[in-house]
């Protein structure tokens, strides 16, 4: 990721977006594990917990997407920065 000192707010936002993506991915991975476990045990309460967490993941994704579009519009990222921003968009 580009980390020049010319645009510290831009760089901080890129780092935060990258961090949030990793965090969201880790939580989604855990949710898959929970979903598999709920199927193995036929545990409907665990399945409902997964569904509720899915709404949280969706909300986080839309937040990251919105911030990424703002960075794209305001800062015109290039190279690796653009790939990071592009990876957040569906």
């Amino acid at each position: 990721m580009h980390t020049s000192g010319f645009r510290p707010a831009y760089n901080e936002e890129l780092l935060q977006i990258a961090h949030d993506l990793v965090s969201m991915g880790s939580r989604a991975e855990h949710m898959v594990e929970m979903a598999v476990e709920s199927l193995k045990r036929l545990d409907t309460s665990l399945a409902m917990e997964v569904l509720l967490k899915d709404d949280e993941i969706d909300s986080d994704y839309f937040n990251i997407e919105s911030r990424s579009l703002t960075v794209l519009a305001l800062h015109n990222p290039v190279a690796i920065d653009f790939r990071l921003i592009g990876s957040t968009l569906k």
Side-chain angles (χ1 to χ4, degrees), residues 28 30-56:
H30 180 68
M31 286 173 48
V32 169
E33 293 167 358
M34 288 173 58
V36 169
E37 190 61 30
S38 75
L39 288 171
K40 285 181 184 176
R41 297 188 330 211
L42 301 175
D43 185 340
T44 56
S45 63
L46 185 56
M48 288 304 296
E49 186 178 338
V50 171
L51 288 174
L52 292 174
K53 288 181 184 284
D54 183 58
D55 291 340
E56 293 173 16

Side-chain angles (χ1 to χ4, degrees), residues 1 9 12 16-17 22-23 27 34 38 40-41 45 48 53 55 57-60 63 70 76-80 85:
M1 196 170 344
E12 181 60 34
Q16 190 62 51
I17 287 170
V22 170
S23 175
R27 287 183 295 127
M34 288 173 58
S38 75
K40 285 181 184 176
R41 297 188 330 211
S45 63
M48 288 304 296
K53 288 181 184 284
D55 291 340
I57 293 288
D58 290 345
S59 176
D60 291 347
N63 177 278
T70 299
N76 195 25
V78 296
I80 195 164
I85 297 301

Side-chain angles (χ1 to χ4, degrees), residues 1-2 7 10-11 14 17 67-89:
M1 196 170 344
H2 181 65
R7 301 186 287 178
Y10 166 74
N11 291 329
L14 286 178
I17 287 170
R67 290 174 25 226
S68 295
L69 288 170
T70 299
V71 167
L72 189 60
L74 296 178
H75 299 287
N76 195 25
V78 296
I80 195 164
D81 295 346
F82 184 79
R83 289 191 291 274
L84 169 69
I85 297 301
S87 71
T88 68
L89 307 174

